[in-house]
Amino acid sequence: MIEINNVEKRFGSAEVLKRINLKVEPGEVVTILGSSGSGKSTLIRCINGLETLSGGAIRVDGNDVSTAAGLAAARRRSATVFQLFNLYPHMTVLQNVTLAPIHVLGQPRAEAETRARALLDLVGLTAQADAYPQRLSGGQRQRVGICRALAMQPRYLLLDEVTSALDPEMTGEVLDILARLAAEGTTMVFVTHEIEFARRISDRIVFLEAGELIVDMPAEAFFSEEGGLAVPRIRKFLSKMTKD
Amino acid sequence: MRYADFTPYDLVLLAQGLGVTLGLFAATTLIGLALGAALTVLHYYRVPVIGHVVVAVTELLKNSPVLVQLFLVFFGMPAFFQVNMTPVTAALLTVSLNTAAFAFVIFRSGVEAVDRDQIEAARVFGHSRWQILRRIISPQAAAFSVGPLIGLLVNQLQVTSLISVIGVADLTKIGNILNLRTLEPFVVWSVIGLTYYLCAKALAALGGRLERHLRRSVVWQGL
Ligand SMILES: Nc1ncnc2c1ncn2[C@@H]1O[C@H](COP(=O)(O)OP(=O)(O)OP(=O)(O)O)[C@@H](O)[C@H]1O
Ligand SMILES: [Mg+2]
């Protein structure tokens, strides 16, 4: 379980996250919605330890990310897929996917490569295993990013706008894979602007507004007239997002 | 007795001088690059104080004439510290430190040129700081650095000619000797100059191949 308790984050005098509380149970897909600058990325970066908390605590399966040992353990339980892929450009696809399994998990190279190839097969990148990222399309790169995350056999997958750098066709490729993972019961914390997709795969939706978590409800409720749509701020957000 | 003629033995002399020049160049390059890399690692780990000292010393080495540094090491240090200093030791010490200072600057900007996002990704995947340096930063920083490094080394090869001034029998010193004997400065210095030129070209060609190898993964836009 990921537990986020009263988390605050300040950059100088700017309060970017204000007393956020959120729990993600194993098997859940929780989508974080909110307009630009509301703090979605910052929240993800707090969970994976790229930002230090200004207040509160985050625990991943009981491991407190603000201690060195806790963070190391938390990072072994979760994996992140990035908006801009953040692949290692000097390594082939296969090397990108096997680096952490070999050097962080200590898997033997042969085993790591077998697993990596199986994952690449799954996302249709069998032929690209030995290519360098520069040679791939955006959609292919992001599929590599997903394989790199899955190769860690994470309990939690953190995804921050993983399709927003992709054109619609490539977005489709990547979302199909995520939908499959969701259906298989992968736990995900998912930041996205793909409202329709979020509606389809999420168990719960939380809404961030200027650093505050103003709504946390089951996906169905969120999109219903009595639930999310009854909140003017969310109604406005959804009508704006689904228009374009 | 006439000393003015060239003899076949002069070629041997020339080869010896070239050997000394290349040997010194190779040794100072190895020491300089290793030291430059070590300093870059210290800088990467933000070792307190040392980082500032390194930057200050490299600034001094970069911004003062190598000849003056050589005189300081060869004449100044023995006088001040009461140590023995052979010309070869002084030459090794001075050129190595000089190469190290410039290599440090090149490596450091190579490290800084590596995209931050990848490093964040590596941290999130649980890689240690050392693993990130070794597996992510170094290979890319090396690829970024080869170009400027080749330029530096071609220049340092020329710089080694300064050591003839303190009596090391390098290529330039041999030129001096042949010149005094034959009184044919135009021929002698043309041959010496051409020899340096050919060495520099060979070095640049070698470096170019290394660079292409290191950058094989990347399609460089606009280059
Ligand atoms: N390193 C930083 N230093 C200062 N301010 C920051 C930093 N990172 C983020 N911010 C600020 O924090 C706020 C939230 O940023 P964040 O990136 O989390 O928003 P977001 O919800 O992910 O937005 P988007 O949808 O555009 O990705 C913004 O106002 C941003 O300017
Ligand atoms: Mg964001």
Side-chain angles (χ1 to χ4, degrees):
Chain A
M1 184 168 51
I2 301 178
E3 296 163 280
I4 299 172
N5 287 322
N6 287 324
V7 162
E8 294 173 18
K9 178 64 191 175
R10 283 183 290 277
F11 290 111
S13 61
E15 285 188 65
V16 172
L17 294 178
K18 299 167 193 163
R19 298 195 150 264
I20 303 280
N21 286 289
L22 179 65
K23 276 198 176 75
V24 180
E25 305 277 355
E28 269 191 313
V29 175
V30 175
T31 293
I32 303 174
L33 297 180
S35 48
S36 186
S38 58
K40 305 180 297 294
S41 297
T42 305
L43 183 57
I44 295 279
R45 291 170 61 82
C46 286
I47 300 173
N48 62 24
L50 286 175
E51 304 287 355
T52 52
L53 307 183
S54 309
I58 295 180
R59 288 196 182 76
V60 178
D61 291 340
N63 301 289
D64 184 345
V65 301
S66 42
T67 67
L71 181 59
R75 281 178 169 169
R76 250 160 246 215
R77 290 175 154 73
S78 62
T80 306
V81 183
F82 299 87
Q83 178 173 7
L84 298 174
F85 329 129
N86 301 5
L87 299 178
Y88 313 125
H90 59 299
M91 296 183 188
T92 64
V93 165
L94 192 68
Q95 288 169 334
N96 264 277
V97 178
T98 54
L99 188 74
I102 292 172
H103 296 289
V104 177
L105 299 183
Q107 286 177 9
R109 178 176 302 275
E111 183 191 325
E113 286 184 354
T114 310
R115 285 173 181 281
R117 283 187 195 279
L119 285 169
L120 291 170
D121 287 349
L122 232 51
V123 301
L125 288 176
T126 313
Q128 277 75 30
D130 297 313
Y132 287 102
Q134 236 82 7
R135 302 236 171 253
L136 306 182
S137 73
Q140 289 174 324
R141 283 184 213 182
Q142 193 56 293
R143 283 184 269 159
V144 176
I146 293 172
C147 288
R148 178 174 65 172
L150 293 178
M152 293 301 280
Q153 299 173 282
R155 295 198 192 168
Y156 308 99
L157 209 50
L158 310 177
L159 307 112
D160 187 4
E161 298 200 36
V162 297
T163 58
S164 60
L166 304 177
D167 65 30
E169 189 186 337
M170 296 175 182
T171 298
E173 299 171 2
V174 170
L175 292 184
D176 285 347
I177 292 164
L178 297 181
R180 214 157 70 207
L181 290 172
E184 287 165 6
T186 312
T187 313
M188 297 192 211
V189 181
F190 189 48
V191 173
T192 190
H193 288 298
E194 301 283 336
I195 305 293
E196 270 315 306
F197 182 73
R199 180 180 194 159
R200 229 171 63 221
I201 69 159
S202 308
D203 297 303
R204 271 162 56 216
I205 303 221
V206 301
F207 191 84
L208 282 188
E209 167 74 10
E212 276 180 282
L213 198 158
I214 59 170
V215 152
D216 177 350
M217 48 176 82
E220 266 162 62
F222 185 85
F223 290 100
S224 72
E225 288 296 336
E226 316 76 66
L229 290 174
V231 182
R233 183 64 199 87
I234 292 177
R235 178 179 281 275
K236 199 167 142 225
F237 173 82
L238 288 179
S239 72
K240 203 179 94 211
M241 293 305 293
T242 41
K243 218 182 314 159
D244 44 49
Chain B
M1 201 160 128
R2 281 189 58 200
Y3 292 100
D5 284 344
F6 289 107
T7 69
Y9 180 68
D10 292 346
L11 284 178
V12 177
L13 268 185
L14 208 62
Q16 277 174 355
L18 181 61
V20 169
T21 291
L22 291 182
L24 212 119
F25 171 71
T28 54
T29 297
L30 284 180
I31 300 171
L33 293 188
L35 195 58
L39 295 177
T40 312
V41 173
L42 287 184
H43 193 264
Y44 168 78
Y45 279 103
R46 299 202 201 92
V47 179
V49 191
I50 294 183
H52 290 99
V53 173
V54 167
V55 170
V57 172
T58 50
E59 278 299 303
L60 276 176
L61 289 174
K62 269 171 52 193
N63 293 301
S64 62
V66 182
L67 192 58
V68 172
Q69 295 168 17
L70 193 61
F71 285 164
L72 179 65
V73 170
F74 186 58
F75 300 115
M77 290 211 347
F80 196 77
F81 296 109
Q82 309 291 321
V83 289
N84 278 327
M85 188 66 77
T86 66
V88 171
T89 315
L92 273 174
L93 198 62
T94 310
V95 182
S96 297
L97 286 180
N98 198 265
T99 301
F102 282 98
F104 169 64
V105 173
I106 291 173
F107 288 146
R108 206 180 57 184
S109 38
V111 168
E112 275 156 17
V114 177
D115 177 27
R116 298 292 315 162
D117 290 346
Q118 295 163 39
I119 297 172
E120 287 196 339
R123 281 170 57 200
V124 164
F125 279 98
H127 293 289
S128 65
R129 222 170 141 68
W130 167 250
Q131 285 177 346
I132 291 173
L133 180 65
R134 161 105 171 63
R135 311 263 166 203
I136 313 289
I137 296 179
S138 301
Q140 296 184 71
F144 293 138
S145 302
V146 229
L149 220 47
I150 297 309
L152 168 67
L153 293 184
V154 165
N155 187 60
Q156 294 302 80
L157 179 65
Q158 329 291 328
V159 164
T160 60
S161 68
L162 292 175
I163 63 178
S164 62
V165 174
I166 58 169
V168 178
D170 73 332
L171 190 57
T172 302
K173 183 76 183 173
I174 298 301
N176 243 321
I177 292 168
L178 291 179
N179 180 37
L180 288 176
R181 210 193 68 211
T182 61
L183 299 177
E184 291 270 19
F186 187 78
V187 177
V188 168
W189 294 122
S190 295
V191 169
I192 300 287
L194 195 67
T195 312
Y196 276 111
Y197 171 83
L198 291 175
C199 291
K201 279 290 166 195
L203 185 63
L206 226 69
R209 285 181 59 174
L210 178 64
E211 184 170 17
R212 273 192 297 285
H213 174 72
L214 287 175
R215 290 189 160 192
R216 68 195 177 283
S217 65
V218 186
V219 187
W220 295 96
Q221 267 101 26
L223 281 178

